Amino acid sequence: MLEQLDKQFVLQTYKRNYVNFKKGINATLFDETDRDYIDFTSGIGVVSVGHGNKEVADAICKQANNIIHISNLYAIEPQAKLAEKIAKLSEMDVATFFANSGAEANEGAIKIARKYGETKFDKKRYKVITLEHSFHGRTITTVKATGQASMHSPNFAPYPDGFKYDARIDDIYNSIDDETVAVMIELVQGEGGVQPFEKKDIQELAKFLKEQGILLIIDEVQSGVYRTGEFLASNLYEIEPDIITLAKGLGGGVPIGAVVTKHKDIFEAGDHGSTFGGNYLSTAAASKVVDILDEYKNSGQLDETIIYFDSKLNELIKKYPELLLEKVGVGLMKGIRIKDADSLAAIISKAFEEGVLVLRAGKNTLRLLPPLTISKKEIDEGFKRLENALSKIS
Ligand SMILES: *Cc1c(COP(=O)(O)O)cnc(C)c1O
């Protein structure tokens, strides 16, 4: 029924699984037959405070019963307050532009970089260096910024110029020329395989770029908002980028994106905008999410959960050394390198049958992005089910 509706009326851009989820409580989902699933995906790193979060739902209802939307032609109190929280928690002197998604946040970042390149140098600079295996979004510009040739399909050409892809952080130094205005990277590549970069390499790069007056844009659409255990992965790496983008986990499921920058005066009135960006509803929801997670971090619970999740992950990998090659990632942005792509596909589908949702990243990485508020009981149950799945494969 749902499958038929979907196939008839929804554009088929996703390879979908036709389970019909009806209810969620923290990291547990229930389908229409009341079967439960442990959610190790949190909707690709989005539902950071869990499903059915009462506090977030109440904040949304309260706001929805009052004002959902005016427009950015008027000041919006929850937007201003959320921007203040982001500045405070990032521990940087920054201001924020609100968008509605990760790709849109990255578009905003690229626009800031382009204008900086137009106005701050004698000769215009516009090139942005990104990395291979990166992922920056699906709009025409951000898909071109994405360092995966397979995503630059001729079907959608021509793409905007001005992107260059490097294989390694070290290569960036040689790639910079007198047209380079920015380097845009993830600190932990998410879609590319849950691959963190070395802190030392990132700090060196940040220092070098600063000396050159080239902008460092950190795409924290996936790694931001406590996913790595700190408010920002940039905090974990102890760098102060020129621009940081956020989205996925920020709204707890309500669409929101953010461009956070210390360059507060590059954009002037009229340079950029969004009808929905930062509206009452999304910023009220995100404010509550950030408050909940700030408290969760300060109480030590987030660190405890990370340590517990990690120990379970280590146990699992030890039991299946021929299938599970190594653990990757940081915080609750974790992955397991799997022997090969076929085994990975088999694990994901078996895991679903056993009642645990997991993700793929890159060619051969099993990706785990549970809600940050996942309970120990849910972690235990999820790993038990994952082990059941593995035992049926090996
Ligand atoms: C998911 C993701 C994006 C794209 O976000 P959308 O909200 O899907 O547009 C961009 N960058 C990174 C690092 C992501 O993980």
Side-chain angles (χ1 to χ4, degrees):
M1 180 56 193
L2 172 59
E3 177 166 357
Q4 194 205 325
L5 266 185
D6 182 88
K7 287 190 168 152
Q8 189 173 353
F9 293 110
V10 180
L11 287 182
Q12 296 294 296
T13 60
Y14 304 100
K15 263 197 212 109
R16 283 192 155 138
N17 191 323
Y18 283 97
V19 59
N20 188 0
F21 293 118
K22 290 290 198 181
K23 188 177 167 55
I25 304 172
N26 202 7
T28 310
L29 284 162
F30 300 87
D31 70 11
E32 59 188 339
T33 68
D34 238 11
R35 210 186 139 200
D36 63 279
Y37 302 76
I38 300 298
D39 185 4
F40 277 177
T41 75
S42 59
I44 320 194
V46 167
V47 192
S48 46
V49 293
H51 298 285
N53 188 292
K54 187 82 174 68
E55 283 179 83
V56 176
D58 285 348
I60 291 170
C61 287
K62 199 168 149 219
Q63 190 59 61
N65 274 308
N66 191 16
I67 299 175
I68 291 180
H69 178 94
I70 299 287
S71 81
N72 281 303
L73 298 176
Y74 306 93
I76 298 169
E77 190 174 2
Q79 180 183 119
K81 287 186 166 167
L82 176 61
E84 183 191 24
K85 282 177 198 181
I86 290 172
K88 189 176 144 273
L89 292 170
S90 70
E91 294 169 20
M92 296 177 210
D93 182 17
V94 287
T96 296
F97 172 87
F98 289 100
N100 310 284
S101 68
E104 214 191 316
N106 287 336
E107 289 268 349
I110 293 164
K111 276 181 76 174
I112 292 176
R114 287 268 176 101
K115 187 170 177 194
Y116 176 89
E118 173 70 33
T119 53
K120 303 279 177 179
F121 299 92
D122 294 339
K123 178 173 163 263
K124 181 182 171 63
R125 291 182 170 226
Y126 66 99
K127 283 187 195 158
V128 177
I129 297 173
T130 69
L131 287 174
E132 286 174 14
H133 308 293
S134 60
F135 182 75
H136 299 297
R138 294 288 208 150
T139 61
I140 293 273
T141 299
T142 58
V143 86
K144 190 69 192 308
T146 293
Q148 300 181 45
S150 64
M151 292 189 64
H152 305 160
S153 159
N155 290 337
F156 311 116
Y159 295 93
D161 283 339
F163 294 97
K164 169 158 197 324
Y165 319 103
D166 280 333
R168 299 172 319 127
I169 297 281
D170 276 357
D171 300 335
I172 293 173
Y173 296 90
N174 291 324
S175 288
I176 290 171
D177 61 24
D178 64 358
E179 291 180 323
T180 305
V181 71
V183 171
M184 179 159 86
I185 57 173
E186 298 152 89
L187 295 176
V188 186
Q189 286 188 334
E191 306 298 317
V194 202
Q195 185 59 55
F197 292 104
E198 290 292 335
K199 186 168 176 176
K200 182 174 73 55
D201 294 346
I202 295 294
Q203 290 184 337
E204 263 169 31
L205 178 69
K207 183 162 171 276
F208 176 80
L209 294 176
K210 190 175 212 140
E211 286 161 8
Q212 304 289 315
I214 294 168
L215 300 181
L216 176 60
I217 304 171
I218 301 293
D219 179 346
E220 295 224 32
V221 168
Q222 194 161 149
S223 66
V225 199
Y226 296 102
R227 181 51 61 187
T228 64
E230 299 297 330
F231 178 60
L232 300 172
S234 296
N235 298 134
L236 186 69
Y237 279 72
E238 297 177 279
I239 55 166
E240 286 207 6
D242 294 283
I243 306 173
I244 294 163
T245 54
L246 301 173
K248 290 191 165 90
L250 181 58
V254 177
I256 186 166
V259 188
V260 181
T261 182
K262 50 180 162 181
H263 299 278
K264 299 176 189 176
D265 51 8
I266 294 179
F267 274 164
E268 295 163 63
D271 274 343
H272 198 41
S274 163
T275 297
F276 292 119
N279 82 5
Y280 280 78
L281 191 74
S282 63
T283 51
S287 263
K288 182 51 81 178
V289 168
V290 167
D291 284 349
I292 292 170
L293 293 176
D294 180 27
E295 160 69 25
Y296 211 68
K297 168 77 182 169
N298 288 334
S299 69
Q301 286 178 94
L302 179 61
D303 295 331
E304 218 178 275
T305 302
I306 291 169
I307 290 167
Y308 192 71
F309 194 88
D310 217 43
S311 69
K312 286 284 171 178
L313 188 53
N314 289 337
E315 276 175 34
L316 187 74
I317 291 174
K318 246 188 231 146
K319 275 186 197 152
Y320 294 91
E322 64 295 334
L323 254 184
L324 313 180
L325 305 184
E326 67 169 324
K327 177 182 79 178
V328 287
V330 289
L332 288 176
M333 186 172 179
K334 283 279 160 54
I336 310 172
R337 293 268 191 270
I338 307 295
K339 193 177 69 177
D340 53 53
D342 288 344
S343 306
L344 174 58
I347 294 170
I348 292 173
S349 97
K350 266 280 175 281
F352 180 78
E353 284 171 30
E354 293 296 324
V356 57
L357 310 182
V358 295
L359 293 162
R360 188 184 65 85
K363 277 198 194 72
N364 66 331
T365 305
L366 182 77
R367 182 168 42 148
L368 306 171
L369 298 172
L372 305 178
T373 53
I374 189 170
S375 69
K376 280 190 179 164
K377 222 175 123 202
E378 288 170 323
I379 294 174
D380 287 345
E381 187 60 30
F383 275 103
K384 196 173 103 193
R385 292 177 186 192
L386 200 47
E387 194 176 340
N388 289 344
L390 290 165
S391 71
K392 286 175 185 166
I393 286 164
S394 41

